[in-house]
Amino acid sequence: HEKAGLALAFNPNGSLLASCGEDGAIILWETATRQQRATYQDGAALPTRLQFVPNTDMLAVGFNNGQLALWNLVSGAIAQRVQAHNQFVGTLDVNADGTLLLSGGEDNTLKLWTLPNIAEYARFTGYSDAEQPEQVYTARFADDHDAIFSGGTDRTIRVWSREVTTQPFASAEEMLAFACAWIDDTLRADSSAAYDEYRRICRKRVK
């Protein structure tokens, strides 16, 4: 890139890397050879976040003007584009089967979209409904559970159920119970000491 880099994303099998920067370019790299395969330039807005869509030739892109787009990596054309946020897109994630897209931005909103048409499916309002609205900087799917994790300027990590689309969990105890169930299932096969602190917190909760 000719200016600062903004985001990186690997495709599911790790054979491709996409990067974007303040020069407005999206570059597709072959990881084995470390060579550029293609370069894409939107021209209308600055790409800020990237995620490959599994089982497709599409790259999901978030822009500094709040738009979301699907870029066809074969044709080099934009397949879909929507105005998703009023400001900078700060985070993107795609679920494991490529059917849902998660986006968050500096406009205090976290949204869930269906793919490939980028149709709004749900809006999580806990950030924008707060007494002082907070920006969303990161959000991720937990694909082995019906959950979404997010973080922002309120300095908390929130756990959302996809079935509860208007508010986060009703109480801290409910959120902790869900998170501990997720941790227990996810780390069951890993007995390493690296996760002992998470296990200790959850075990203390049930005593």
Side-chain angles (χ1 to χ4, degrees), residues 44-80:
L46 188 71
T48 58
R49 295 295 181 265
L50 307 169
Q51 283 291 337
F52 283 91
V53 181
N55 308 313
T56 73
D57 293 315
M58 299 292 180
L59 183 72
V61 184
F63 294 92
N64 66 338
N65 63 358
Q67 292 184 347
L68 295 178
L70 288 182
W71 218 308
N72 188 311
L73 298 175
V74 175
S75 68
I78 292 288
Q80 295 284 343

Side-chain angles (χ1 to χ4, degrees), residues 122-203:
R123 184 177 303 198
F124 301 89
T125 61
Y127 287 99
S128 57
D129 286 350
E131 184 175 337
Q132 180 176 343
E134 304 288 349
Q135 296 172 355
V136 186
Y137 282 159
T138 186
R140 292 292 180 267
F141 288 102
D143 277 306
D144 53 344
H145 288 276
D146 188 27
I148 290 168
F149 291 75
S150 67
T153 55
D154 62 353
R155 299 176 294 173
T156 67
I157 296 176
R158 302 192 185 199
V159 187
W160 310 79
S161 168
R162 295 183 201 172
E163 299 302 317
V164 183
T165 59
T166 59
Q167 293 291 338
F169 290 101
S171 66
E173 179 64 19
E174 182 182 340
M175 181 180 74
L176 185 59
F178 191 95
C180 284
W182 180 82
I183 290 169
D184 182 62
D185 288 348
T186 303
L187 305 182
R188 191 184 299 277
D190 191 333
S191 60
S192 68
Y195 302 109
D196 283 353
E197 180 64 15
Y198 300 113
R199 296 188 179 96
R200 184 190 66 76
I201 292 171
C202 290
R203 286 170 184 157

Side-chain angles (χ1 to χ4, degrees), residues 29-36:
W29 307 82
E30 294 180 350
T31 55
T33 63
R34 301 185 182 182
Q35 299 297 311
Q36 292 186 22

